[in-house]
Amino acid sequence: MNQPKRPGFPAWIASSAAPKPAAGARTPVAAGTTQRPAMAPVGWGLDSVAVRMRMVQRLAASGIQSQAVLSAMGGVERHLFVDSALVNQAYEDTSLPIGLQQTISKPSVVARMIELLEGAECARAPGGLGRVLEIGTGCGYQAAVLGRVAREVYSIERLRGLHEKARNNLRPLRLRNVHLLFGDGMQGYAQGAPYAGIIAAAGGDAVPQAWLDQLAVGGRLVAPMVRNAGQQVLLVIDKTLHGFTESVLEAVHFVPLKSGIA
């Protein structure tokens, strides 16, 4: 039986998907879309490498221990994923608006959640963290970091405008192991399952069953979820041969998890 063909970069779930370009062809930028030139933070008196290294030092001091995560955080230029008016804040530990009432997560939260993924049982085997599903691509920053830690990344976004923004942001990086998908993240992406890790950038009232079904045995899900009195907390779910184990961690604040596409 033939295995389903995995998507390339970018990929679409919507039935109106455009055909893939021929091998080696450049994917055209959508009409009306302007690609931003690479910009370095200005007014800091430091180049972006030095600024990123200071961010990494702060992450390590805050408790991030994974060298793979710290290296990935230092290797991805966060200022390329935020609006030009916000580049001077790009390496501060703060969330920033990216349009459509969405935000790019704090660097500390990105590092924390990816480090938690690395704790999955199946990630301890030779080869490290395997295939990961990201729910909520946003501007593409976390997908870029994941692409330096995991073997393969599928990232799904329900808002077409953000999917296009992430595609434009990630194209120059040529991350061949990162696949962008436009669709309803609450349904996951069964064609890429099972996943060693699933990570969500939006918080709901319950974990969608599709995510649990698509998680591999030995895999781990890290997501914000609403618990007592409407408070969002970071939830870690591990899938074992005998079922699921759940750990509730610190309070967090993410945008709401929604279904459908827009």
PDB file of all heavy atoms in Angstrom, residues 244-262:
ATOM      1  N   PHE A 244      -2.906   7.940  28.829  1.00  0.00           N
ATOM      2  CA  PHE A 244      -2.314   9.265  28.884  1.00  0.00           C
ATOM      3  C   PHE A 244      -2.014   9.669  30.320  1.00  0.00           C
ATOM      4  O   PHE A 244      -2.766   9.326  31.239  1.00  0.00           O
ATOM      5  CB  PHE A 244      -3.265  10.306  28.267  1.00  0.00           C
ATOM      6  CG  PHE A 244      -3.554  10.081  26.811  1.00  0.00           C
ATOM      7  CD1 PHE A 244      -4.653   9.332  26.416  1.00  0.00           C
ATOM      8  CD2 PHE A 244      -2.724  10.616  25.836  1.00  0.00           C
ATOM      9  CE1 PHE A 244      -4.925   9.119  25.078  1.00  0.00           C
ATOM     10  CE2 PHE A 244      -2.983  10.413  24.492  1.00  0.00           C
ATOM     11  CZ  PHE A 244      -4.089   9.664  24.107  1.00  0.00           C
ATOM     12  N   THR A 245      -0.909  10.382  30.501  1.00  0.00           N
ATOM     13  CA  THR A 245      -0.615  11.006  31.788  1.00  0.00           C
ATOM     14  C   THR A 245      -0.574  12.514  31.572  1.00  0.00           C
ATOM     15  O   THR A 245      -0.118  12.984  30.526  1.00  0.00           O
ATOM     16  CB  THR A 245       0.728  10.527  32.360  1.00  0.00           C
ATOM     17  OG1 THR A 245       1.789  10.884  31.461  1.00  0.00           O
ATOM     18  CG2 THR A 245       0.716   9.018  32.554  1.00  0.00           C
ATOM     19  N   GLU A 246      -1.044  13.264  32.539  1.00  0.00           N
ATOM     20  CA  GLU A 246      -1.202  14.704  32.388  1.00  0.00           C
ATOM     21  C   GLU A 246      -0.508  15.438  33.524  1.00  0.00           C
ATOM     22  O   GLU A 246      -0.615  15.052  34.682  1.00  0.00           O
ATOM     23  CB  GLU A 246      -2.699  15.038  32.375  1.00  0.00           C
ATOM     24  CG  GLU A 246      -3.040  16.490  32.212  1.00  0.00           C
ATOM     25  CD  GLU A 246      -4.545  16.707  32.220  1.00  0.00           C
ATOM     26  OE1 GLU A 246      -5.237  16.212  31.291  1.00  0.00           O
ATOM     27  OE2 GLU A 246      -5.041  17.361  33.166  1.00  0.00           O
ATOM     28  N   SER A 247       0.194  16.502  33.176  1.00  0.00           N
ATOM     29  CA  SER A 247       0.834  17.365  34.167  1.00  0.00           C
ATOM     30  C   SER A 247       0.399  18.794  33.924  1.00  0.00           C
ATOM     31  O   SER A 247       0.420  19.272  32.784  1.00  0.00           O
ATOM     32  CB  SER A 247       2.363  17.273  34.066  1.00  0.00           C
ATOM     33  OG  SER A 247       2.815  15.947  34.257  1.00  0.00           O
ATOM     34  N   VAL A 248      -0.010  19.480  34.977  1.00  0.00           N
ATOM     35  CA  VAL A 248      -0.410  20.882  34.892  1.00  0.00           C
ATOM     36  C   VAL A 248       0.727  21.733  35.445  1.00  0.00           C
ATOM     37  O   VAL A 248       1.145  21.554  36.594  1.00  0.00           O
ATOM     38  CB  VAL A 248      -1.711  21.142  35.678  1.00  0.00           C
ATOM     39  CG1 VAL A 248      -2.065  22.620  35.638  1.00  0.00           C
ATOM     40  CG2 VAL A 248      -2.850  20.301  35.096  1.00  0.00           C
ATOM     41  N   LEU A 249       1.221  22.658  34.633  1.00  0.00           N
ATOM     42  CA  LEU A 249       2.365  23.489  35.023  1.00  0.00           C
ATOM     43  C   LEU A 249       1.921  24.925  35.287  1.00  0.00           C
ATOM     44  O   LEU A 249       0.824  25.150  35.759  1.00  0.00           O
ATOM     45  CB  LEU A 249       3.447  23.394  33.941  1.00  0.00           C
ATOM     46  CG  LEU A 249       3.913  21.963  33.604  1.00  0.00           C
ATOM     47  CD1 LEU A 249       4.969  21.982  32.525  1.00  0.00           C
ATOM     48  CD2 LEU A 249       4.402  21.236  34.843  1.00  0.00           C
ATOM     49  N   GLU A 250       2.749  25.872  34.945  1.00  0.00           N
ATOM     50  CA  GLU A 250       2.513  27.261  35.339  1.00  0.00           C
ATOM     51  C   GLU A 250       1.403  27.938  34.531  1.00  0.00           C
ATOM     52  O   GLU A 250       1.009  27.475  33.466  1.00  0.00           O
ATOM     53  CB  GLU A 250       3.808  28.066  35.185  1.00  0.00           C
ATOM     54  CG  GLU A 250       4.301  28.196  33.754  1.00  0.00           C
ATOM     55  CD  GLU A 250       5.300  27.130  33.348  1.00  0.00           C
ATOM     56  OE1 GLU A 250       5.347  26.058  34.005  1.00  0.00           O
ATOM     57  OE2 GLU A 250       6.053  27.360  32.370  1.00  0.00           O
ATOM     58  N   ALA A 251       0.946  29.058  35.075  1.00  0.00           N
ATOM     59  CA  ALA A 251      -0.049  29.870  34.385  1.00  0.00           C
ATOM     60  C   ALA A 251       0.590  30.540  33.164  1.00  0.00           C
ATOM     61  O   ALA A 251       1.753  30.944  33.196  1.00  0.00           O
ATOM     62  CB  ALA A 251      -0.612  30.926  35.326  1.00  0.00           C
ATOM     63  N   VAL A 252      -0.195  30.639  32.087  1.00  0.00           N
ATOM     64  CA  VAL A 252       0.276  31.268  30.856  1.00  0.00           C
ATOM     65  C   VAL A 252      -0.859  32.106  30.283  1.00  0.00           C
ATOM     66  O   VAL A 252      -1.992  32.062  30.767  1.00  0.00           O
ATOM     67  CB  VAL A 252       0.732  30.214  29.815  1.00  0.00           C
ATOM     68  CG1 VAL A 252       2.013  29.543  30.238  1.00  0.00           C
ATOM     69  CG2 VAL A 252      -0.364  29.181  29.568  1.00  0.00           C
ATOM     70  N   HIS A 253      -0.542  32.853  29.237  1.00  0.00           N
ATOM     71  CA  HIS A 253      -1.569  33.661  28.571  1.00  0.00           C
ATOM     72  C   HIS A 253      -1.374  33.583  27.069  1.00  0.00           C
ATOM     73  O   HIS A 253      -0.390  34.103  26.537  1.00  0.00           O
ATOM     74  CB  HIS A 253      -1.508  35.105  29.048  1.00  0.00           C
ATOM     75  CG  HIS A 253      -2.574  35.973  28.429  1.00  0.00           C
ATOM     76  ND1 HIS A 253      -3.913  35.840  28.742  1.00  0.00           N
ATOM     77  CD2 HIS A 253      -2.488  36.966  27.518  1.00  0.00           C
ATOM     78  CE1 HIS A 253      -4.608  36.714  28.043  1.00  0.00           C
ATOM     79  NE2 HIS A 253      -3.766  37.415  27.287  1.00  0.00           N
ATOM     80  N   PHE A 254      -2.307  32.893  26.395  1.00  0.00           N
ATOM     81  CA  PHE A 254      -2.259  32.753  24.946  1.00  0.00           C
ATOM     82  C   PHE A 254      -3.583  33.228  24.347  1.00  0.00           C
ATOM     83  O   PHE A 254      -4.590  33.335  25.061  1.00  0.00           O
ATOM     84  CB  PHE A 254      -2.044  31.281  24.553  1.00  0.00           C
ATOM     85  CG  PHE A 254      -0.629  30.806  24.675  1.00  0.00           C
ATOM     86  CD1 PHE A 254      -0.095  30.449  25.908  1.00  0.00           C
ATOM     87  CD2 PHE A 254       0.187  30.701  23.549  1.00  0.00           C
ATOM     88  CE1 PHE A 254       1.206  30.004  26.014  1.00  0.00           C
ATOM     89  CE2 PHE A 254       1.493  30.258  23.656  1.00  0.00           C
ATOM     90  CZ  PHE A 254       2.007  29.900  24.889  1.00  0.00           C
ATOM     91  N   VAL A 255      -3.579  33.465  23.056  1.00  0.00           N
ATOM     92  CA  VAL A 255      -4.820  33.791  22.356  1.00  0.00           C
ATOM     93  C   VAL A 255      -5.734  32.554  22.393  1.00  0.00           C
ATOM     94  O   VAL A 255      -5.271  31.429  22.552  1.00  0.00           O
ATOM     95  CB  VAL A 255      -4.543  34.219  20.894  1.00  0.00           C
ATOM     96  CG1 VAL A 255      -3.744  35.506  20.857  1.00  0.00           C
ATOM     97  CG2 VAL A 255      -3.830  33.114  20.114  1.00  0.00           C
ATOM     98  N   PRO A 256      -7.051  32.737  22.233  1.00  0.00           N
ATOM     99  CA  PRO A 256      -7.981  31.606  22.296  1.00  0.00           C
ATOM    100  C   PRO A 256      -7.823  30.655  21.117  1.00  0.00           C
ATOM    101  O   PRO A 256      -7.528  31.061  20.002  1.00  0.00           O
ATOM    102  CB  PRO A 256      -9.365  32.268  22.270  1.00  0.00           C
ATOM    103  CG  PRO A 256      -9.149  33.716  22.476  1.00  0.00           C
ATOM    104  CD  PRO A 256      -7.747  34.022  22.088  1.00  0.00           C
ATOM    105  N   LEU A 257      -8.036  29.376  21.387  1.00  0.00           N
ATOM    106  CA  LEU A 257      -8.043  28.354  20.349  1.00  0.00           C
ATOM    107  C   LEU A 257      -9.393  28.387  19.635  1.00  0.00           C
ATOM    108  O   LEU A 257     -10.445  28.320  20.293  1.00  0.00           O
ATOM    109  CB  LEU A 257      -7.814  26.972  20.974  1.00  0.00           C
ATOM    110  CG  LEU A 257      -7.812  25.763  20.031  1.00  0.00           C
ATOM    111  CD1 LEU A 257      -6.615  25.834  19.080  1.00  0.00           C
ATOM    112  CD2 LEU A 257      -7.778  24.462  20.832  1.00  0.00           C
ATOM    113  N   LYS A 258      -9.376  28.489  18.318  1.00  0.00           N
ATOM    114  CA  LYS A 258     -10.617  28.554  17.541  1.00  0.00           C
ATOM    115  C   LYS A 258     -10.597  27.521  16.423  1.00  0.00           C
ATOM    116  O   LYS A 258      -9.534  27.102  15.970  1.00  0.00           O
ATOM    117  CB  LYS A 258     -10.804  29.965  16.951  1.00  0.00           C
ATOM    118  CG  LYS A 258     -10.974  31.052  17.996  1.00  0.00           C
ATOM    119  CD  LYS A 258     -11.202  32.405  17.354  1.00  0.00           C
ATOM    120  CE  LYS A 258     -11.405  33.485  18.410  1.00  0.00           C
ATOM    121  NZ  LYS A 258     -11.648  34.817  17.784  1.00  0.00           N
ATOM    122  N   SER A 259     -11.795  27.140  15.986  1.00  0.00           N
ATOM    123  CA  SER A 259     -11.925  26.165  14.906  1.00  0.00           C
ATOM    124  C   SER A 259     -12.203  26.883  13.589  1.00  0.00           C
ATOM    125  O   SER A 259     -12.521  28.074  13.561  1.00  0.00           O
ATOM    126  CB  SER A 259     -13.043  25.179  15.205  1.00  0.00           C
ATOM    127  OG  SER A 259     -14.279  25.858  15.310  1.00  0.00           O
ATOM    128  N   GLY A 260     -12.111  26.145  12.492  1.00  0.00           N
ATOM    129  CA  GLY A 260     -12.398  26.700  11.189  1.00  0.00           C
ATOM    130  C   GLY A 260     -11.239  27.474  10.607  1.00  0.00           C
ATOM    131  O   GLY A 260     -10.170  27.592  11.220  1.00  0.00           O
ATOM    132  N   ILE A 261     -11.442  28.000   9.394  1.00  0.00           N
ATOM    133  CA  ILE A 261     -10.422  28.818   8.732  1.00  0.00           C
ATOM    134  C   ILE A 261     -11.008  30.184   8.416  1.00  0.00           C
ATOM    135  O   ILE A 261     -12.224  30.360   8.339  1.00  0.00           O
ATOM    136  CB  ILE A 261      -9.885  28.150   7.458  1.00  0.00           C
ATOM    137  CG1 ILE A 261     -11.026  27.884   6.467  1.00  0.00           C
ATOM    138  CG2 ILE A 261      -9.169  26.853   7.789  1.00  0.00           C
ATOM    139  CD1 ILE A 261     -10.567  27.357   5.120  1.00  0.00           C
ATOM    140  N   ALA A 262     -10.151  31.148   8.258  1.00  0.00           N
ATOM    141  CA  ALA A 262     -10.604  32.522   7.979  1.00  0.00           C
ATOM    142  C   ALA A 262      -9.563  33.268   7.158  1.00  0.00           C
ATOM    143  O   ALA A 262      -8.399  32.897   7.138  1.00  0.00           O
ATOM    144  CB  ALA A 262     -10.866  33.253   9.287  1.00  0.00           C
TER     145      ALA A 262
END
